[in-house]
Amino acid sequence: MDSNTSNVWLVLKLAIKTLSSSRDRSEVIDALKTIKRFLGGTENPVPVKEREEFAETHFSRFLQFLAANLNRDWLELLTTDEQKEFLDALFLQGPADQAFLVLLDAIISASHSPSFSLMKCSCILEMFLRHGRMIELLWEVCQKPAKSDLLLWDMLLTKIISVPDHLANKLKQDNKAIFYPQNYFPLLGEAVVKVLQKIWEALRGEKDCSVAFISHLLGKICIQGHGEAVLSVLVPHLATSTQSDFIWQRICWRLVENIPDRWLEGVISGLVQMVPGPEALSQLLGNLASKNKKAHFVLTQKLLLLQYKHKTSVLHNTLGYFAMDHSRRPLLIQVLKDLLGTWGNSSAVKHSPVEQQVYVSKAILISLAHLKDEEVKEHRQALITLVMEGVQCHLDNNIPRIRRLGMIVAECVSSRIDPGGKQLKFQYEEDEETKELLSLLTLPSSQSEKVSSQDSRTVHTSTLPEIDKKEDEQPSAKHQPLKTEGSDSELDSDDDLTPYDMSGDKELKKSKAPAYVIDCIEALVTSEDPDKIEATLTILESMIRKNTAAVKEVSIELAKVLIHLEDKFSIDGFLRLRQRAMVAVTVVDTIHVTQYLTTEFYAVNYSVRQRLDMLDVLVLAAQELSQPASPTGLQTPTDESRTQPCIQLICSTNTDSYTSSKTQHWRKVIEQRIESKTRRFSKGPLRPQPVAMPSRFNSVAGYFFFPLIRNYDRPQATFDLLGNDHFLLGRLVHTLAVLMMFAINTTIAIQMGKVLLDFIWALRYHSDRYVRQSILFCVSSVLLSVPSDCLLVDMSDELIEARSWLTELTEKDPDEDCRSLALQNLVLMENIRKKIEPASLTPL
């Protein structure tokens, strides 16, 4: 040990002894002044070698001593100004990394929370951050060679990021606002910006610097979930600086290249979401996707195929980044092929969420917008093959939204690949999502150019209509006849003639409607006159309900004719009239017609449309039978009865269907208006109390329900419910659930509930989402229709299994609607359990 080192050690040892034992204010101040001389900035500084020795060897040890002895008795010897000048300055003027580590270690190791020393250390750390000492800390590390001290690097990274956590654990409700994550990390982001500015200045001055530590710090911040707070400060500055400065671009490229692979995904994802556009992303990342395998995977796979919660701007930035440079355009073409491959994968269409398929469709359309004409010609055959494979599986899907996605993407791809040839055209409903998808084919810049060109054309031609209008007005004024008194025009006027009252006139029918049910059947089977068929269908429902005895003799034949009846002449309201007639004949002769329909549902040589019609008729007939009947017996439903709330048919394609509740009688509309504007001080009941009567559906519910379950697992030549006919299976399950709902308060409801749970248990893991939604609806119908006490007594085992299955669905099912329905069923089960839970029964 040389003389200088001995001198530093002796002075330090003497100062520590004085501060430990002395209570004399002047001695304490002299000791602190002596130590402060080693930091420089005083009137009598020590030699440079002694300052370096103190900073490298003894500074950290002395700060640890101060932090351990920060008690109230010792600090009361100093005034507030003296504490700032001699005590706080030691933490704010020496090496920033050592001061930061000592302060944070003192806070972490504090045994009592809160305490005087803990609060004092937290105050000094707050001043450390507010005085910009974090900037000095990062700058000191960047000036050293890269990874010169890995142990110090890891320690600093961990401590810097964990400041909010440690301070929150120690200070609890006394925590300071600057240590909140929402305040600390933006402050850290500003420090990073200023350090990068210093690095830029150093590089311009031809000095060596390293951004490796900043890269590691940024990566660790993002991987711990605080990347948005830091990048929201960092990205705008970098995006502005890299626009015209190549040194800034090199700094940004090296910044992301030095991030370890395990942290790279969080940084890239944050940058893609934060940048204002693909140009800025290209300036920040450079060709990182071509150089780094992890970055290549994140940009080409993770952000486009595996994640789907991002905004559309993420797709614009990512795909635009590939298209910005010619060296990255092969990645754009490969990404488009991967997207089309995933889009056309039948398994992915079945099992992936609808939201993810919308996200992939958007990515495909944006990629198409970025393709050049020569690239389209080069890869046309491959793109056509991929699209054709995907169109079929989308059109075969049961979800209308997925089918519409397939149509839109197929149309857009075909129009882009072969703009002058034959293109795919579909008919689909346009909504906001459709408009958004179609707008993605036009890039924002080209779209603005197109709009501006259209505006310029509009300006040039805006005067033409006015000129034409004037030219049209002039001849009319020129050739307008002059009206003189006593002219022929006044003598020939028709104003004095009284018009005939034609309000009671009726349209003459060319064909007379049949008078008997047998004549109706004959007309529907043999007639080729569209007017006669229309007249027959118009009066058929009322005739069936008025002549019940005659209808029962030919009910099966009439039902058969109506099922096979086709709309050959495009009769207005054909589907509605035919459906009403089928419902009426089912209600009149319930048992025989129901047995016929449930048997024919599984027969061969029927189309899917006809089988769906059978299910709809069964549902509507069950609904009518489950409602209270009028005292006079069967009557034709009035307009008011049709406005009652009822089920919505999935297969209904008519806007004026039998169950439509939108059309209201004009008298009812007027009554509602009068009622809303009438003021009453008191009023009695508006309608009489309902009269209790037996349910007509009680005695026939089994004929509707059980035959539909009997043959579901037997494949036929024309359809296979457990095979490809997923929609028909889902509709069947939905029909059973509706029938279960109509069977509420019936004697057979318990048996129907048990059978229905056993039936759906074999289908609970079906691959089609619509079938799973129908199954979950079945569970709800059982829970609502079967009495609560019977559920807990007779079906406790089934409900326990169903509960575990529903819990699994809420966590793992890919479809959001299925997860929501499963959660609703769990809540319903819990409410039933709370409603009646005998002490002797095991909870669900």
Side-chain angles (χ1 to χ4, degrees):
M1 184 180 292
D2 56 18
S3 59
N4 290 336
T5 304
S6 301
N7 186 32
V8 174
W9 168 247
L10 291 176
V11 172
L12 179 62
K13 186 176 180 181
L14 181 60
I16 291 176
K17 183 178 180 180
T18 301
L19 296 174
S20 301
S21 58
S22 177
R23 289 297 177 265
D24 187 355
R25 176 173 174 277
S26 60
E27 292 182 357
V28 171
I29 294 177
D30 291 340
L32 293 175
K33 285 183 178 180
T34 303
I35 298 301
K36 188 179 178 181
R37 292 174 58 237
F38 288 100
L39 300 178
T42 59
E43 297 179 357
N44 299 316
V46 298
V48 177
K49 292 184 178 180
E50 293 184 5
R51 291 205 305 267
E52 294 177 353
E53 175 67 23
F54 177 77
E56 295 176 0
T57 308
H58 307 294
F59 179 68
S60 178
R61 185 182 304 174
F62 183 72
L63 291 186
Q64 291 174 358
F65 164 77
L66 288 180
N69 291 273
L70 287 176
N71 54 68
R72 189 182 301 274
D73 297 337
W74 187 73
L75 290 178
E76 285 180 351
L77 300 175
L78 305 176
T79 63
T80 303
D81 295 337
E82 290 173 344
Q83 290 181 21
K84 293 181 180 180
E85 181 180 358
F86 301 114
L87 181 61
D88 299 348
L90 292 174
F91 290 92
L92 302 178
Q93 293 181 6
D97 54 348
Q98 299 183 39
F100 174 77
L101 292 175
V102 169
L103 283 173
L104 198 57
D105 288 338
I107 293 172
I108 295 172
S109 60
S111 57
H112 301 286
S113 178
S115 62
F116 180 81
S117 61
L118 176 61
M119 298 305 296
K120 183 62 178 177
C121 289
S122 64
C123 290
I124 297 175
L125 183 58
E126 181 181 6
M127 289 188 291
F128 184 92
L129 296 176
R130 294 191 183 278
H131 285 71
R133 294 284 287 164
M134 183 61 71
I135 302 173
E136 298 180 14
L137 188 155
L138 299 177
W139 176 237
E140 289 176 1
V141 180
C142 292
Q143 287 179 303
K144 299 177 182 179
K147 299 182 181 181
S148 58
D149 192 346
L150 292 178
L151 183 61
L152 178 62
W153 269 36
D154 294 339
M155 188 181 302
L156 285 174
L157 289 174
T158 304
K159 299 293 185 183
I160 291 173
I161 296 174
S162 61
V163 166
D165 297 332
H166 289 308
L167 270 296
N169 291 335
K170 290 297 180 179
L171 298 180
K172 296 180 174 60
Q173 67 272 14
D174 297 326
N175 195 11
K176 301 178 183 298
I178 194 174
F179 300 127
Y180 293 165
Q182 61 268 28
N183 298 327
Y184 174 77
F185 285 102
L187 184 66
L188 188 59
E190 294 176 358
V192 171
V193 170
K194 293 180 180 179
V195 171
L196 293 177
Q197 182 70 30
K198 287 190 174 185
I199 293 175
W200 175 80
E201 294 173 356
L203 293 178
R204 291 196 64 182
E206 299 183 356
K207 296 181 181 178
D208 293 336
C209 290
S210 174
V211 295
F213 182 77
I214 304 297
S215 300
H216 284 67
L217 178 63
L218 189 61
K220 197 158 188 177
I221 289 173
C222 292
I223 203 63
Q224 292 194 2
H226 303 292
E228 183 178 356
V230 176
L231 293 177
S232 61
V233 178
L234 183 62
V235 169
H237 176 78
L238 295 181
T240 304
S241 302
T242 54
Q243 288 182 357
S244 58
D245 196 318
F246 184 74
I247 297 179
W248 270 112
Q249 293 183 12
R250 294 286 297 176
I251 292 175
C252 293
W253 297 350
R254 189 57 59 90
L255 183 67
V256 292
E257 289 174 2
N258 288 332
I259 298 174
D261 288 348
R262 63 184 183 274
W263 299 334
L264 188 59
E265 179 182 345
V267 179
I268 292 179
S269 300
L271 290 175
V272 172
Q273 297 178 53
M274 292 290 178
V275 292
E279 298 85 358
L281 185 63
S282 179
Q283 293 167 359
L284 295 179
L285 297 183
N287 288 326
L288 184 67
S290 305
K291 299 178 181 178
N292 188 288
K293 293 183 178 179
K294 181 68 175 182
H296 181 276
F297 172 76
V298 172
L299 290 170
T300 60
Q301 301 290 326
K302 201 71 175 287
L303 293 177
L304 300 177
L305 296 174
L306 302 180
Q307 298 175 355
Y308 58 93
K309 298 295 184 181
H310 299 299
K311 298 179 181 179
T312 310
S313 59
V314 172
L315 295 175
H316 279 293
N317 293 336
T318 305
L319 297 170
Y321 164 76
F322 294 139
M324 287 299 297
D325 189 83
H326 66 89
S327 62
R328 297 192 294 266
R329 294 197 67 86
L331 293 178
L332 176 65
I333 298 172
Q334 184 60 43
V335 163
L336 177 58
K337 293 181 179 179
D338 293 342
L339 289 169
L340 286 173
T342 303
W343 177 79
N345 188 293
S346 59
S347 178
V349 173
K350 286 182 180 180
H351 299 95
S352 59
V354 181
E355 293 76 12
Q356 185 174 10
Q357 299 186 43
V358 174
Y359 187 81
V360 172
S361 300
K362 290 180 179 179
I364 291 173
L365 298 180
I366 296 174
S367 301
L368 286 173
H370 282 288
L371 284 184
K372 297 179 180 179
D373 294 338
E374 54 270 18
E375 294 172 340
V376 171
K377 293 180 181 179
E378 182 180 356
H379 302 278
R380 174 179 296 173
Q381 190 59 42
L383 296 178
I384 291 176
T385 303
L386 292 171
V387 170
M388 291 298 104
E389 294 175 356
V391 171
Q392 185 63 38
C393 63
H394 277 79
L395 296 181
D396 291 342
N397 198 274
N398 299 330
I399 308 299
R401 189 179 179 188
I402 295 179
R403 291 200 298 270
R404 188 168 66 247
L405 281 177
M407 298 176 189
I408 294 172
V409 174
E411 280 189 359
C412 295
V413 174
S414 64
S415 63
R416 184 70 178 88
I417 293 177
D418 193 8
K422 295 183 178 180
Q423 301 177 10
L424 297 176
K425 291 294 181 182
F426 299 95
Q427 293 181 353
Y428 48 82
E429 181 182 358
E430 292 191 3
D431 53 6
E432 294 299 327
E433 183 179 83
T434 303
K435 295 178 182 178
E436 181 185 4
L437 289 171
L438 295 176
S439 66
L440 296 177
L441 274 179
T442 305
L443 297 178
S445 58
S446 60
Q447 186 175 5
S448 62
E449 294 174 2
K450 183 178 179 180
V451 171
S452 62
S453 62
Q454 289 179 350
D455 292 341
S456 63
R457 289 196 299 269
T458 304
V459 171
H460 291 303
T461 59
S462 60
T463 57
L464 295 179
E466 297 180 0
I467 297 174
D468 295 338
K469 184 176 180 182
K470 292 179 180 178
E471 292 177 356
D472 293 339
E473 289 177 352
Q474 290 176 358
S476 61
K478 184 185 299 184
H479 296 90
Q480 185 176 2
L482 297 175
K483 292 186 178 181
T484 61
E485 185 176 357
S487 64
D488 294 339
S489 60
E490 291 183 357
L491 295 176
D492 296 338
S493 176
D494 299 340
D495 295 341
D496 296 335
L497 298 178
T498 303
Y500 287 103
D501 183 13
M502 305 179 65
S503 60
D505 290 359
K506 296 181 180 180
E507 183 181 358
L508 296 177
K509 297 291 185 180
K510 298 180 180 180
S511 299
K512 186 177 180 180
Y516 300 98
V517 177
I518 295 296
D519 296 337
C520 292
I521 297 176
E522 183 179 357
L524 295 176
V525 173
T526 61
S527 177
E528 294 294 332
D529 184 3
D531 294 330
K532 186 174 184 179
I533 294 178
E534 183 178 3
T536 303
L537 288 175
T538 303
I539 58 95
L540 184 57
E541 180 190 9
S542 60
M543 185 180 296
I544 291 173
R545 295 182 184 275
K546 292 177 182 178
N547 303 281
T548 57
V551 170
K552 289 182 179 180
E553 297 178 359
V554 293
S555 58
I556 302 297
E557 183 180 357
L558 179 57
K560 183 177 181 180
V561 169
L562 291 173
I563 289 175
H564 291 86
L565 187 62
E566 298 180 356
D567 188 12
K568 298 180 180 179
F569 307 104
S570 300
I571 298 174
D572 187 23
F574 172 83
L575 295 177
R576 171 175 52 84
L577 295 173
R578 187 186 67 154
Q579 190 179 72
R580 288 184 181 181
M582 292 177 67
V583 172
V585 72
T586 307
V587 172
V588 169
D589 192 8
T590 304
I591 295 178
H592 294 94
V593 177
T594 303
Q595 288 177 340
Y596 172 76
L597 292 177
T598 54
T599 302
E600 293 300 305
F601 178 78
Y602 289 105
V604 296
N605 298 329
Y606 281 101
S607 65
V608 174
R609 177 72 258 179
Q610 290 174 319
R611 300 183 200 276
L612 294 176
D613 289 339
M614 296 178 193
L615 295 178
D616 290 343
V617 170
L618 289 173
V619 166
L620 292 173
Q623 181 189 22
E624 184 174 339
L625 292 172
S626 64
Q627 294 176 351
S630 61
T632 58
L634 291 172
Q635 293 181 355
T636 303
T638 61
D639 291 333
E640 293 186 2
S641 67
R642 289 195 187 114
T643 62
Q644 298 294 330
C646 53
I647 64 163
Q648 179 181 4
L649 298 181
I650 295 179
C651 299
S652 178
T653 58
N654 237 357
T655 57
D656 55 346
S657 65
Y658 178 70
T659 60
S660 176
S661 60
K662 294 182 179 179
T663 305
Q664 292 183 326
H665 198 272
W666 64 271
R667 293 185 182 274
K668 189 172 183 179
V669 174
I670 294 177
E671 290 174 0
Q672 289 177 352
R673 292 178 180 175
I674 296 174
E675 183 68 24
S676 63
K677 298 180 179 180
T678 303
R679 181 181 180 186
R680 293 185 175 89
F681 296 98
S682 64
K683 57 182 178 179
L686 297 179
R687 61 182 64 184
Q689 295 294 329
V691 180
M693 58 182 62
S695 171
R696 293 177 292 164
F697 190 60
N698 180 37
S699 58
V700 296
Y703 294 98
F704 283 81
F705 185 82
F706 295 108
L708 287 178
I709 304 180
R710 182 172 50 197
N711 297 322
Y712 78 94
D713 56 347
R714 298 180 183 178
Q716 301 293 337
T718 55
F719 77 106
D720 184 7
L721 289 179
L722 299 183
N724 296 326
D725 294 317
H726 297 158
F727 181 74
L728 191 59
L729 175 61
R731 188 66 184 91
L732 172 63
V733 176
H734 182 272
T735 301
L736 294 172
V738 175
L739 295 176
M740 186 73 225
M741 292 293 296
F742 291 148
I744 189 172
N745 298 326
T746 60
T747 56
I748 203 173
I750 300 175
Q751 183 180 357
M752 290 173 61
K754 289 183 177 180
V755 173
L756 185 57
L757 287 180
D758 292 339
F759 168 69
I760 64 175
W761 195 248
L763 303 172
R764 66 188 186 279
Y765 292 115
H766 200 278
S767 60
D768 189 82
R769 71 192 73 203
Y770 174 61
V771 177
R772 296 198 304 274
Q773 293 174 8
S774 301
I775 291 173
L776 291 169
F777 179 48
C778 283
V779 177
S780 301
S781 66
V782 172
L783 295 176
L784 294 173
S785 303
V786 179
S788 302
D789 52 349
C790 297
L791 281 174
L792 297 177
V793 174
D794 298 335
M795 288 185 269
S796 58
D797 295 337
E798 289 87 346
L799 292 182
I800 291 174
E801 294 178 351
R803 184 183 180 87
S804 61
W805 165 61
L806 291 172
T807 304
E808 182 183 359
L809 284 186
T810 57
E811 300 174 354
K812 299 181 180 180
D813 196 285
D815 185 65
E816 184 178 359
D817 293 334
C818 290
R819 295 195 300 269
S820 176
L821 289 172
L823 183 60
Q824 293 176 12
N825 282 324
L826 287 175
V827 173
L828 188 58
M829 281 186 177
E830 187 64 20
N831 292 338
I832 293 174
R833 184 188 67 83
K834 291 179 179 179
K835 184 177 179 181
I836 51 170
E837 184 182 7
S840 58
L841 293 179
T842 304
L844 293 179

